[in-house]
Amino acid sequence: MALRMWASSTANALKISCVSRPLISRCFSTVLDGLKYASSHEWVKHEGSVATVGITDHAQDHLGEVVFVDLPEPGGSVAQGSSFGAVESVKATSDVNSPISGEIVEVNTKLTEAPGLVNSSPYEEGWMIKIKPKNPSELDSLFGAKEYTKFCEEEDAAH
Amino acid sequence: MRILRSLEVWKLGIVNYLDALKLQEKLVVDRKSHKICDILLSLQHPPTYTVGKRRTDHNLLIPQSELERVGAELHYTQRGGDITFHGPHQAILYPIISLREIGLGARSYVEKLELTMIELAAKYGVKACPGQAGETGVWVEQRRKIGAIGVRISNGITSHGLAFNINPDLTYFGHIVPCGISDKEVTSLRRETGPVLPDEEIIQEQLVSCFARNFGYSSLIWKEGTPVFSDKDDIK
């Protein structure tokens, strides 16, 4: 019940503040239209020559309260599906993987002081890295919003 | 329809921390590439302090040069959580399992690890509970910590795990701020129960059974002995 209330208040906040249309899934995590998603629960927003990456609402909910975010320095490169950092929650360190390959051009330094932004604003203030994509066609191999929603439902039904 | 899942349990005895870490790293790679099924390592460590990914070594209260004198090692790890102590008579479980296959996230996984230890304590009449927010672990009367958790999840595969105090030497905890929490205590099953506990091996096996039940494994395959790494890095 608390999750449903939380999800709807997050959805309301998103409707007020951003242009992407939320697509509420039956599993009560918010999934945004216009983003692409990896099966390891990261999202990517491709805008021109830069792609922004973070973890999804489903991911942050399943992690619990994030107390630490470990991010790389800008300038390094990352490959699709490989880890670029980690988050810590409930005494668990979870790797975060990049949905696409490219050069890391910017890192969200706010997460050092305010790791909870990953929970409260996973698609906006909780963004993690910005990448200059090496191969934009990699985006075609990712889920769209509807497919990702279905994927989450199937994964959650497994237990 | 529920798929029948089996768990291989490796009973390893007392294992040096770095050897156990090396073994886990190999098993995580193999589990990720589906070469092996879910595995649970059941073991103990010689006296060892470990620090998590946040490197909170300021919670070690003695200089590192003193560690040899007290007979302990110190290791830096990639697991979550703060500083802790492992030693003989503390039951350790390191599950190397795929969370994605059972649809669990980090929070649910850790909750089930807590339940595993709570159920074991209950078998001996000890009423234990999960910690309050931010204090992951298993507590007696919210004041005395009897079980600790520190986990790593990489591509959905777990490593590290839980440590349950059967009867370790609790004075070692005096050299740290355990888990970074300064105003609480550490306890053990021995301290919380009457004078007679069964053989430790029995208690450790019960812990494994509680784990298997909580995680829905329908069969257990028990293996004993220490794995040996050959030149080609195969586990024997």
Side-chain angles (χ1 to χ4, degrees):
Chain A
M1 182 57 86
L3 182 57
R4 195 193 304 225
M5 284 162 53
W6 182 89
S8 66
S9 71
T10 306
N12 286 336
L14 284 167
K15 278 178 197 157
I16 291 166
S17 65
C18 94
V19 291
S20 302
R21 284 179 294 113
L23 178 75
I24 310 297
S25 73
R26 286 201 294 277
C27 63
F28 306 115
S29 293
T30 307
V31 178
L32 297 188
D33 239 358
L35 304 185
K36 290 290 216 167
Y37 299 87
S39 61
S40 46
H41 303 287
E42 294 89 8
W43 56 266
V44 56
K45 188 173 180 180
H46 188 203
E47 291 168 307
S49 60
V50 165
T52 309
V53 169
I55 67 168
T56 65
D57 185 30
H58 179 273
Q60 70 75 23
D61 178 59
H62 281 57
L63 282 173
E65 189 195 336
V66 174
V67 298
F68 178 67
V69 182
D70 184 30
L71 293 176
E73 293 293 315
S77 65
V78 72
Q80 184 180 40
S82 70
S83 162
F84 64 80
V87 295
E88 182 178 338
S89 62
V90 294
K91 307 281 178 85
T93 312
S94 301
D95 284 359
V96 188
N97 299 326
S98 181
I100 57 169
S101 312
E103 187 197 335
I104 300 170
V105 295
E106 200 183 333
V107 162
N108 187 357
T109 50
K110 275 197 196 152
L111 295 182
T112 312
E113 294 304 319
L117 288 173
V118 171
N119 296 114
S120 59
S121 183
Y123 297 110
E124 298 216 340
E125 291 181 78
W127 68 273
M128 292 189 176
I129 59 173
K130 290 189 197 280
I131 300 177
K132 195 164 121 186
K134 185 175 170 187
N135 186 1
S137 66
E138 282 176 337
L139 290 158
D140 299 335
S141 66
L142 301 173
F143 292 135
K146 284 204 179 78
E147 294 155 303
Y148 176 64
T149 303
K150 186 155 179 279
F151 175 77
C152 287
E153 286 169 4
E154 284 167 3
E155 206 179 59
D156 282 349
H159 83 283
Chain B
M1 187 181 71
R2 212 167 177 82
I3 298 169
L4 297 177
R5 291 166 51 239
S6 66
L7 177 70
E8 248 185 56
V9 182
W10 293 19
K11 289 172 63 173
L12 300 178
I14 298 193
V15 182
N16 175 272
Y17 192 82
L18 280 183
D19 288 342
L21 199 56
K22 191 175 167 190
L23 173 60
Q24 289 178 78
E25 283 165 5
K26 165 99 174 76
L27 292 176
V28 166
V29 167
D30 286 350
R31 186 66 187 87
K32 187 185 161 193
S33 53
H34 305 285
K35 283 186 191 159
I36 55 176
C37 65
D38 287 347
I39 287 182
L40 179 67
L41 306 182
S42 173
L43 61 138
Q44 298 187 4
H45 288 309
T48 311
Y49 292 106
T50 66
V51 162
K53 197 172 172 69
R54 283 176 283 143
R55 302 179 74 87
T56 50
D57 51 12
H58 54 272
N59 285 324
L60 178 67
L61 302 176
I62 57 172
Q64 288 192 29
S65 48
E66 286 278 288
L67 288 169
E68 203 182 320
R69 185 183 61 80
V70 304
E73 296 180 358
L74 170 69
H75 293 288
Y76 291 83
T77 76
Q78 295 296 310
R79 61 157 173 78
D82 207 300
I83 193 167
T84 195
F85 170 77
H86 299 306
H89 316 297
Q90 181 194 71
I92 290 194
L93 296 187
Y94 290 149
I96 314 293
I97 69 175
S98 168
L99 293 183
R100 286 188 197 159
E101 282 180 21
I102 47 177
L104 285 183
R107 191 159 54 118
S108 308
Y109 175 55
V110 164
E111 281 169 8
K112 283 185 186 295
L113 292 181
E114 287 174 334
L115 270 177
T116 297
M117 291 192 278
I118 288 168
E119 281 176 18
L120 176 66
K123 283 185 190 297
Y124 294 92
V126 177
K127 192 164 182 296
C129 315
Q132 288 152 348
E135 293 183 345
T136 298
V138 172
W139 299 79
V140 181
E141 293 175 352
Q142 291 295 349
R143 277 213 52 82
R144 303 187 295 281
K145 193 166 188 180
I146 195 170
I149 291 173
V151 161
R152 182 176 185 192
I153 302 166
S154 182
N155 293 110
I157 311 293
T158 63
S159 57
H160 299 272
L162 63 83
F164 182 83
N165 292 338
I166 301 176
N167 187 21
D169 181 354
L170 296 178
T171 62
Y172 277 101
F173 286 95
H175 298 308
I176 57 174
V177 181
C179 310
I181 302 171
S182 54
D183 60 345
K184 303 212 173 164
E185 298 164 33
V186 181
T187 187
S188 65
L189 192 64
R190 177 67 183 82
R191 216 173 245 202
E192 299 290 332
T193 60
V196 180
L197 284 177
D199 195 65
E200 219 164 77
E201 200 178 326
I202 292 176
I203 302 176
Q204 195 137 355
E205 283 180 12
Q206 287 173 330
L207 184 63
V208 169
S209 298
C210 290
F211 175 90
R213 199 169 46 248
N214 268 297
F215 284 87
Y217 291 100
S218 46
S219 72
L220 299 184
I221 304 158
W222 295 83
K223 298 193 170 186
E224 291 203 42
T226 313
V228 172
F229 288 92
S230 75
D231 288 337
K232 290 186 185 151
D233 232 25
D234 292 326
I235 308 285
K236 296 242 185 310

